[in-house]
Amino acid sequence: MVHHGRARPAAHAVPAARQRLPAPHHAVAPSARRGRVMTRALPGVVSLLTDFGLSDPYVGILKGVIAREAPGTTVIDVSHDVPPQDIELAALWLEQAYTWFPPGTVHVCVVDPGVGTARAALAARAGEHWFVAPDNGVLSGVLAREPSWEVRWIDAGALRLSVASRTFHGRDVFAPVAGRLASGALRLSDVGPEHAPTLHARRAPRVEKGEAFGEVIAVDRFGNLITNLPASVLEGEGVTVEIRDARLRSVGTYAEGELECVALVGSFGLVEIAVQNASAAARLGVGRGEPVRVVRGAP
Amino acid sequence: MVHHGRARPAAHAVPAARQRLPAPHHAVAPSARRGRVMTRALPGVVSLLTDFGLSDPYVGILKGVIAREAPGTTVIDVSHDVPPQDIELAALWLEQAYTWFPPGTVHVCVVDPGVGTARAALAARAGEHWFVAPDNGVLSGVLAREPSWEVRWIDAGALRLSVASRTFHGRDVFAPVAGRLASGALRLSDVGPEHAPTLHARRAPRVEKGEAFGEVIAVDRFGNLITNLPASVLEGEGVTVEIRDARLRSVGTYAEGELECVALVGSFGLVEIAVQNASAAARLGVGRGEPVRVVRGAP
Amino acid sequence: MVHHGRARPAAHAVPAARQRLPAPHHAVAPSARRGRVMTRALPGVVSLLTDFGLSDPYVGILKGVIAREAPGTTVIDVSHDVPPQDIELAALWLEQAYTWFPPGTVHVCVVDPGVGTARAALAARAGEHWFVAPDNGVLSGVLAREPSWEVRWIDAGALRLSVASRTFHGRDVFAPVAGRLASGALRLSDVGPEHAPTLHARRAPRVEKGEAFGEVIAVDRFGNLITNLPASVLEGEGVTVEIRDARLRSVGTYAEGELECVALVGSFGLVEIAVQNASAAARLGVGRGEPVRVVRGAP
């Protein structure tokens, strides 16, 4: 499926200099463009986001397959500690991470509870990035953000993929397709027929009459509570953020909340609740899904 | 020691297109072979499998040494979360992972309870892959699988390795030798004299009169129980897998076992016991070493 | 600030062949120097040491930014499991790790409790290595070890860095500067004005009248207790190491301490307390900060 619509306003910070390069296999090294070295094909970048963990050899095997398909590719781990089968969190991390990668990066996301069933395997282009993932909604955040995208169904038979197992399509389908896209050996148009992807509507925050209602959508390693509320709800003087029984003031940076939990705009451009050098999640005893309310007036 | 014997039948799935390249230092980029760029030496691939964990700087130091010895090498982590000194599990992960890497990859495996003692340090070629590891049986699975191999004892003195410590041969011996093999600066024949490696016989499954007896040899992050039983024992109609007090049916893919534990052929070509979106290990209360029996007849 | 002083004697093992290359952007591939391939700019090496953990996408985002700024750079993780805000341990790991990397490596250390405050962001050269880190003492170990160094304050405005957040300078400041230093696009002299860095004095061990007093400064994954006592205190016959209620003998390698805790010189050139194939930390019930005393006489 090809989509040329209007993207919703990006809630997150956008990298400064987005280079406009047409496709991974046309990318050239910046130094080449400055005339320092001869023009040559640039090995691509592949990012990986899975729920495989790092204890078992599964991630290493993915990378072995990519090294076989596309020697010299730079492979970057976004995370492999997505809780097993947690499509919603994977969609969030993918949406928040991909814009910081070079244009032309192929992002592989394998959180795949339906592996081996009839669910489709997808390859997609959205904006200047490529994606390879099962058709289970994990691309929802990315596709909601990009005005222009194209999604295709991976036809494993036509691509002569050797699908050796019904339980590890990361190895047998997603990694080889990602490697071939990154190396330029495969074009998106040759992956398979167009496909209408599964899209999950995210529970959007509600803003009305100077109040905003959202929720905690992730808790990071530091115990910071990441909400789905955009930065704009903290604008202006005298804002209070309510969560559980706490009423928090809005500050500019973590260091202002040494003894108390505070609310601030985090690195994804979303409201976060934090306490300096400690865990707000532990302090407040809350986690994902906890309602958050922003009201006018000092705490 | 050089071995040209008959390999046992591979129980695992074999990658489709195994390129036949002679040695890491002769490898050329596929694109070069298609005439797109000039022929050049291809930086090699090194895989790492250790029990070092990722919290301490030990793995980073290994990679620093490899970057020093062989700039541009692609280094891929198989796992660093092998339980400390667990040679048996390391041998299994290595055996299951290496075939998915490019021919010519140098696989470094440092699970080394005997570091600093008289145990030999080994470099080996087995089939199209290279290996560097202590002589403690960790290569047993690989050498049992490959019909042709050559194992040599690393003569640190002759190689002028600066062995700065008696406790970290990963840094002082294995990483530099791996880097030199990957870059082509060192040939296997120059590593040191031939050596008869320590080989551990794995407890093989027993198949008789339509029954098969095996055991759980690993539990992965998802709680899937990986057994040493080959896929063939699940062939045919009406098979029941017994473990502890449970009698399980055989299915094709994880998604068929939503409410119950099931048995299926996993990605290594071995029988696995799983439950969809949950942990079979937790559900059944079993772990490594648990006996598994396959019998004819519906559960 | 530029410093040309006398470094304290290095307590740690020093790699054998330290190549003398002038700067990351002048580095050439060793093979080029041997005339095998044409001279070309060598993509640099960047090491990463943070307290970000590996579950969240923060480390992946850092690497995405580096891949954008400096395509082809080799990025190596030293550790991301430094306990949150633990500057002291990060300084130790950095000091012990960096010498094993290629000359010209850019080491990024982001343990940054003061992010968003007025604390400076630093770029530095020390010996043959480059460093990028907040000005909070995390470079203390490195700067104490190197006789010659230069530290500059990162002028984000002059460098036209797009500092999108006040909470993630790893992404917005440190990664882009590291990438530009590694690629040669930025010279240290152009980073910003010279700066006198925050230096933390480490609690040094005390050696007097044949006795030595130190402490445990880190516990590694294996439960080995790493002390701040130099190897020299174990020299000679008949040395006893006292910790809590235990009196330990000095040995050469882990394998000599199968049933008992022992003291030995570890891979950092420091006294370690260990027990073979088990955790000395668990056995002795001690952790970081525990006093250690070395006395003459058998245990």
Side-chain angles (χ1 to χ4, degrees):
Chain A
M1 181 169 144
V2 181
H3 175 86
H4 297 286
R6 182 182 301 277
R8 67 172 172 80
H12 71 134
V14 176
R18 298 181 65 154
Q19 301 167 52
R20 302 281 160 180
L21 296 178
H25 50 290
H26 296 142
V28 292
S31 55
R33 285 181 286 124
R34 289 191 236 110
R36 285 207 314 196
V37 300
M38 65 176 190
T39 302
R40 59 178 174 79
L42 178 70
V45 177
V46 171
S47 89
L48 300 180
L49 175 62
T50 78
D51 61 355
F52 294 170
L54 290 173
S55 293
D56 306 316
Y58 301 134
V59 172
I61 289 170
L62 283 196
K63 294 179 182 175
V65 170
I66 293 170
R68 177 190 287 268
E69 292 282 351
T73 299
T74 296
V75 179
I76 296 177
D77 299 312
V78 173
S79 174
H80 299 288
D81 277 340
V82 172
Q85 293 98 32
D86 190 338
I87 294 168
E88 189 177 359
L89 190 65
L92 176 68
W93 286 156
L94 183 63
E95 178 191 348
Q96 296 300 347
Y98 83 98
T99 54
W100 300 96
F101 283 73
T105 297
V106 180
H107 303 274
V108 180
C109 182
V110 192
V111 177
D112 193 12
V115 62
T117 68
R119 71 95 186 87
L122 303 180
R125 182 195 54 74
E128 300 173 300
H129 293 261
W130 272 251
F131 298 87
V132 178
D135 183 22
N136 59 19
V138 78
L139 298 181
S140 300
V142 169
L143 299 183
R145 186 185 284 273
E146 293 285 352
S148 165
W149 46 261
E150 176 181 347
V151 177
R152 289 177 179 271
W153 174 80
I154 297 174
D155 186 341
L159 296 176
R160 299 180 179 278
L161 295 174
S162 170
V163 182
S165 93
R166 294 180 64 184
T167 61
F168 194 6
H169 285 185
R171 178 191 70 190
D172 298 338
V173 176
F174 298 114
V177 168
R180 294 178 196 181
L181 287 171
S183 73
L186 176 66
R187 286 184 300 192
L188 182 59
S189 55
D190 296 332
V191 160
E194 291 184 17
H195 185 85
T198 301
L199 295 175
H200 292 165
R202 181 170 297 162
R203 289 187 293 281
R206 190 159 50 86
V207 182
E208 55 183 30
K209 297 179 194 162
E211 288 189 332
F213 301 84
E215 65 182 288
V216 174
I217 55 175
V219 181
D220 74 11
R221 187 214 191 180
F222 300 94
N224 299 323
L225 304 167
I226 302 170
T227 78
N228 61 348
L229 290 162
S232 57
V233 305
L234 295 188
E235 284 169 7
E237 292 297 306
V239 168
T240 295
V241 175
E242 300 178 349
I243 180 168
R244 195 67 66 97
D245 297 328
R247 293 172 53 80
L248 315 176
R249 66 189 175 98
S250 168
V251 300
T253 184
Y254 294 136
E256 294 174 62
E258 186 154 5
L259 296 172
E260 48 166 344
C261 288
V262 292
L264 75 172
V265 178
S267 60
F268 298 140
L270 298 169
V271 174
E272 289 185 22
I273 294 167
V275 56
Q276 194 191 17
N277 298 351
S279 165
R283 183 77 63 89
L284 296 170
V286 304
R288 254 166 90 186
E290 184 75 21
V292 179
R293 180 166 166 246
V294 180
V295 297
R296 296 287 134 186
Chain B
M1 179 169 145
V2 181
H3 175 85
H4 297 286
R6 182 182 301 277
R8 67 172 172 79
H12 71 134
V14 176
R18 298 182 65 155
Q19 301 167 52
R20 303 282 160 179
L21 296 177
H25 50 290
H26 295 141
V28 293
S31 56
R33 285 181 285 126
R34 289 191 235 110
R36 286 207 315 197
V37 301
M38 66 176 189
T39 302
R40 60 179 174 79
L42 178 70
V45 177
V46 171
S47 89
L48 300 181
L49 175 62
T50 78
D51 61 355
F52 294 170
L54 290 173
S55 294
D56 306 317
Y58 301 134
V59 171
I61 290 170
L62 283 196
K63 293 178 181 175
V65 171
I66 292 170
R68 176 190 287 269
E69 292 281 351
T73 299
T74 296
V75 180
I76 296 177
D77 299 312
V78 173
S79 174
H80 299 289
D81 277 340
V82 172
Q85 293 98 32
D86 190 339
I87 294 167
E88 189 177 359
L89 190 65
L92 176 68
W93 288 155
L94 183 62
E95 178 191 348
Q96 296 300 347
Y98 83 98
T99 54
W100 299 96
F101 283 73
T105 297
V106 180
H107 302 274
V108 180
C109 182
V110 192
V111 177
D112 193 12
V115 63
T117 67
R119 71 94 187 88
L122 304 180
R125 182 195 55 73
E128 300 172 301
H129 293 262
W130 272 250
F131 299 86
V132 179
D135 183 22
N136 59 18
V138 78
L139 297 181
S140 300
V142 169
L143 299 183
R145 186 185 284 274
E146 293 284 353
S148 164
W149 45 261
E150 176 181 346
V151 176
R152 289 177 179 272
W153 174 80
I154 297 174
D155 186 341
L159 296 176
R160 300 180 179 280
L161 295 174
S162 171
V163 183
S165 93
R166 294 180 64 184
T167 61
F168 194 6
H169 285 184
R171 177 191 71 190
D172 298 338
V173 176
F174 298 114
V177 168
R180 293 179 196 180
L181 287 171
S183 73
L186 176 65
R187 286 185 300 192
L188 182 60
S189 56
D190 296 332
V191 160
E194 291 184 16
H195 184 84
T198 301
L199 295 175
H200 291 164
R202 181 170 298 162
R203 288 187 293 280
R206 190 159 50 86
V207 182
E208 56 183 29
K209 297 179 194 162
E211 288 189 331
F213 301 84
E215 65 182 289
V216 174
I217 55 175
V219 180
D220 74 12
R221 187 215 190 181
F222 300 94
N224 299 323
L225 305 168
I226 301 170
T227 77
N228 61 347
L229 290 162
S232 57
V233 304
L234 294 189
E235 285 168 7
E237 292 297 306
V239 169
T240 295
V241 175
E242 299 179 350
I243 180 168
R244 194 68 66 96
D245 298 328
R247 293 172 53 79
L248 315 177
R249 67 189 174 99
S250 168
V251 300
T253 184
Y254 294 136
E256 294 174 62
E258 186 155 4
L259 295 172
E260 47 167 344
C261 288
V262 292
L264 75 173
V265 178
S267 60
F268 297 141
L270 298 168
V271 174
E272 289 184 22
I273 294 167
V275 56
Q276 194 191 18
N277 298 350
S279 165
R283 184 77 64 88
L284 296 170
V286 304
R288 253 167 91 186
E290 184 75 21
V292 179
R293 181 167 166 246
V294 180
V295 297
R296 296 286 135 185
Chain C
M1 180 169 145
V2 181
H3 175 85
H4 297 285
R6 181 182 301 276
R8 67 171 172 80
H12 71 134
V14 176
R18 298 182 64 155
Q19 300 167 52
R20 301 283 160 180
L21 296 178
H25 49 291
H26 295 141
V28 292
S31 55
R33 285 181 286 124
R34 289 190 234 111
R36 286 207 314 195
V37 300
M38 65 175 191
T39 302
R40 60 180 174 78
L42 178 71
V45 177
V46 171
S47 89
L48 300 181
L49 175 62
T50 78
D51 61 355
F52 294 171
L54 290 173
S55 294
D56 306 316
Y58 301 135
V59 172
I61 289 170
L62 283 196
K63 293 178 181 175
V65 171
I66 292 170
R68 177 190 287 268
E69 292 282 352
T73 299
T74 296
V75 179
I76 295 176
D77 299 312
V78 173
S79 174
H80 299 289
D81 278 339
V82 172
Q85 293 98 31
D86 190 339
I87 294 167
E88 190 178 359
L89 190 65
L92 176 68
W93 287 155
L94 183 62
E95 178 191 348
Q96 296 299 348
Y98 83 98
T99 54
W100 299 96
F101 283 74
T105 297
V106 180
H107 303 274
V108 180
C109 182
V110 192
V111 177
D112 192 12
V115 62
T117 68
R119 71 95 186 87
L122 304 180
R125 182 195 55 73
E128 300 173 300
H129 293 262
W130 272 251
F131 299 87
V132 178
D135 183 23
N136 59 18
V138 78
L139 297 181
S140 300
V142 169
L143 299 183
R145 186 186 285 273
E146 293 284 353
S148 165
W149 45 261
E150 176 181 347
V151 177
R152 289 177 179 272
W153 174 80
I154 297 174
D155 186 341
L159 295 176
R160 300 180 179 280
L161 295 175
S162 171
V163 183
S165 94
R166 294 180 64 184
T167 61
F168 194 6
H169 285 185
R171 178 191 71 191
D172 298 338
V173 176
F174 298 114
V177 168
R180 293 179 196 181
L181 287 171
S183 73
L186 176 65
R187 286 184 301 192
L188 183 59
S189 56
D190 296 333
V191 160
E194 291 184 17
H195 185 84
T198 301
L199 295 176
H200 292 164
R202 181 170 298 162
R203 289 187 292 282
R206 190 159 50 86
V207 182
E208 55 183 29
K209 298 180 194 160
E211 287 189 331
F213 301 84
E215 65 182 288
V216 174
I217 56 175
V219 180
D220 74 11
R221 187 215 190 179
F222 300 93
N224 299 322
L225 304 167
I226 301 170
T227 78
N228 61 348
L229 290 162
S232 57
V233 304
L234 294 189
E235 285 168 7
E237 293 296 307
V239 168
T240 295
V241 176
E242 299 179 350
I243 180 167
R244 194 67 66 98
D245 297 328
R247 293 172 53 79
L248 315 177
R249 66 189 174 98
S250 168
V251 300
T253 184
Y254 294 136
E256 294 174 62
E258 186 155 4
L259 295 172
E260 47 166 345
C261 288
V262 292
L264 75 173
V265 178
S267 60
F268 298 141
L270 298 168
V271 174
E272 289 185 22
I273 294 167
V275 56
Q276 194 191 18
N277 299 350
S279 164
R283 184 76 65 88
L284 296 170
V286 304
R288 254 167 90 186
E290 183 75 21
V292 179
R293 180 166 166 247
V294 180
V295 297
R296 296 287 136 185

